[in-house]
Every structure is written in C-alpha cells, then in structure tokens.
Amino acid sequence: MDSDSSVISSQPSSPDLLLSDEPTSGFSGAVSSTQSECGGELCGERGLQLRARDSLRLKDKKQMSESELQQLRLKINSRERKRMHDLNIAMDGLREVMPYAHGPSVRKLSKIATLLLARNYILMLTSSLEEMKRLVSEIYGGHHSTFHPPTACGSLAHAGAPLPGHPPPHPPHPVHHPIMAPAATSASLPGAGLSAVNSIRAPHSLLKSAGPASAPLPSGFQQWGGMPCPCTMCQVPPSHHVSSMATAGMSRLSSDTK
DNA sequence: TAGGCCATCTGGTCCT
DNA sequence: AGGACCAGATGGCCTA
C-alpha cells in the first residue's frame, strides 16, 4: 500500500542549488544554529510569536476534515519524498566523481562513506595543489616568482618539454592516489605540507566487496595504477591534521571490519 | 540473527 | 500560508 499515488506537482526543490556558487544563499536555513542558540527551544519575543502562530495552525488542522487532512499529509509526504530523491541524486552525482565508486566489483558507497571520502578527497586535492604551487615556485623561483598555469607561457608543451630559457622538467610525479596518501607519493614530494595528505585514507569498510588487502585489487583500484590498499590498516597512523569529525567517522567506519 | 543501510512517514521548526 | 529543512520512528532489505 503506497501512499504516494498522488503526484503533487509542487515546485522543484531546486537541486541546482547544489551547484550554486553561493552555498550560503540557499543553505543557511539548513544550519540549525538558530535552534542551538536557545538550546533547541524557541526563545524571546520571536519565539513566542512563532509558538502562537504554530498553535493557531494546529487549531486550523483540527478544523480540517479527515479527507482534507489526509490530502495534506499526502502532499507533504510527496514533497518530502521528492526532496529526499533530489538529495539522493546529488549523492549519486558525488559518487560519480569519487574514486572507488566505479567498477563492477565495488559496491556502492554508503552516504556517510561518500561524504567522508569526498571531504578527504577535497583535503587531499587542496594539499596537492598547495604542494605543487610550492614546488613550481621553488623551481621557477628566479623568473617565475609566482605560480601560473602552463598556458601562461604560451603553450601546454611547457609542461612536457623544456623550453629555451627554462630548466629541464623535473621527473614526473607518481600517480597520486585520490584518497589515500601512499608512501610512494609522499616520498616523492618533499616538504612538510604533505602531512595532511598522509592523513587521508579510506577504511576497509568503504570497500565492502574489495576483500582482504592481500586479495587482487578490485577494478576500482585499477585506475590508480595498482596502488597499494588505502585502508587504515595499511597506512601510517593519522596525523593531527585530520579533524576530529573525520577521524571519528573513519574510525567508526573502519570498526566495521572487526 | 544482529547490525548496517535505506526509504518513508511524521511532526516540529524556520524561512520566504 | 506554503514550502523547505530537520530529526525521530519504523519497517524492509541485505550481508556477515
């Protein structure tokens, strides 16, 4: 028995908000800071007004007929369903751009795993970018005082072949693993800025179908050139750069493996 | 069978 | 007033 047979054509809950350049514009309402300010209770004159208004609404609902109430409930349920569907679509979109998330032998990431991995992925990319900027400014420090994209020198070939007046390119970096910070990667990149990268790893539990670390790498790993297992068990202990939230979340997730 | 994950319903709260 | 957001409850499905 499904109660969603009524198709309510309410306004779309604008999934494109997720693509907005201004996350604060459509997101501020989602932050429950207003509730926490009063300890979850409405307070002050504003709170009294809201309470009075909501109690009026309750009276209105009591005056509604049974069928009207049911119609309203169906409408609200439908909206909520649609909202959750939009959220899931956005979550799928996030999974699509996440490493690990592809391949027939890799099970779909859970929501919490997707969010935690995405966060760590962003941290790793940010750290890598910073490191790359630092290296470039070191190498070209003389006449390229600041980092600039290769096109700034006129051609993408700049990145591959030495140009007159430019020093030869340094050896290529190994392939970066998008989630973990493989020892090989960190060893190839000097500097202390990699500690954050080193702390980015994925737990075994995020790769439920991957099997033990000694097993052949699933297809999800193949794209990273057969890099070693990124799980917590196979990595160095986390550094203090990992926020407590991520650490807690990851430890919770990795506890699944026990 | 227990536990994890998920979808759905529901009531409350807040925003426009 | 209507809609969006949120969190709690509930039940189903799946896996170890």
Side-chain angles (χ1 to χ4, degrees):
Chain A
M1 175 83 99
D2 200 357
S3 61
D4 61 347
S5 55
S6 64
V7 177
I8 311 297
S9 61
S10 60
Q11 286 195 347
S13 57
S14 63
D16 43 355
L17 262 182
L18 300 163
L19 307 176
S20 170
D21 294 336
E22 302 175 21
T24 56
S25 63
F27 192 67
S28 58
V31 181
S32 57
S33 58
T34 53
Q35 290 181 347
S36 60
E37 283 174 2
C38 295
E41 298 266 335
L42 286 174
C43 57
E45 192 173 344
R46 167 79 171 152
L48 289 175
Q49 289 173 354
L50 286 173
R51 267 198 290 260
R53 192 195 62 181
D54 287 335
S55 64
L56 276 178
R57 262 195 233 174
L58 282 178
K59 286 180 184 175
D60 290 343
K61 283 182 181 177
K62 285 179 182 174
Q63 289 173 355
M64 294 173 72
S65 71
E66 193 76 13
S67 61
E68 284 175 334
L69 218 54
Q70 192 170 0
Q71 288 293 325
L72 179 63
R73 197 63 252 178
L74 289 178
K75 186 179 174 184
I76 294 174
N77 289 349
S78 177
R79 266 205 311 270
E80 177 68 8
R81 255 197 317 275
K82 183 182 184 311
R83 195 181 70 85
M84 295 309 295
H85 285 165
D86 290 343
L87 184 63
N88 288 336
I89 289 172
M91 193 67 74
D92 285 338
L94 187 56
R95 283 190 189 100
E96 282 181 12
V97 299
M98 287 295 299
Y100 294 121
H102 313 290
S105 60
V106 178
R107 205 167 91 175
K108 186 175 157 187
L109 288 172
S110 69
K111 291 178 179 178
I112 181 67
T114 302
L115 290 176
L116 291 173
L117 276 178
R119 177 186 182 276
N120 288 352
Y121 191 24
I122 291 171
L123 284 177
M124 191 213 68
L125 290 178
T126 302
S127 179
S128 295
L129 182 61
E130 289 301 315
E131 183 67 15
M132 206 173 302
K133 283 181 183 176
R134 194 185 65 79
L135 285 175
V136 167
S137 65
E138 266 184 21
I139 292 170
Y140 300 111
H143 53 286
H144 286 73
S145 56
T146 57
F147 174 76
H148 63 94
T151 51
C153 279
S155 165
L156 284 172
H158 184 178
L163 294 176
H166 289 257
H170 56 78
H173 292 302
V175 177
H176 285 238
H177 195 286
I179 297 299
M180 58 171 283
T185 303
S186 59
S188 69
L189 293 175
L194 289 172
S195 53
V197 178
N198 285 337
S199 68
I200 299 167
R201 57 184 76 81
H204 265 128
S205 60
L206 300 182
L207 305 163
K208 291 178 181 176
S209 62
S214 58
L217 288 169
S219 62
F221 284 83
Q222 305 287 333
Q223 57 183 314
W224 307 114
M227 298 298 282
C229 177
C231 70
T232 43
M233 296 177 185
C234 307
Q235 297 301 307
V236 295
S239 75
H240 59 277
H241 286 273
V242 183
S243 74
S244 57
M245 182 256 179
T247 307
M250 285 304 183
S251 60
R252 189 190 77 81
L253 285 169
S254 49
S255 68
D256 294 348
T257 62
K258 296 186 187 115

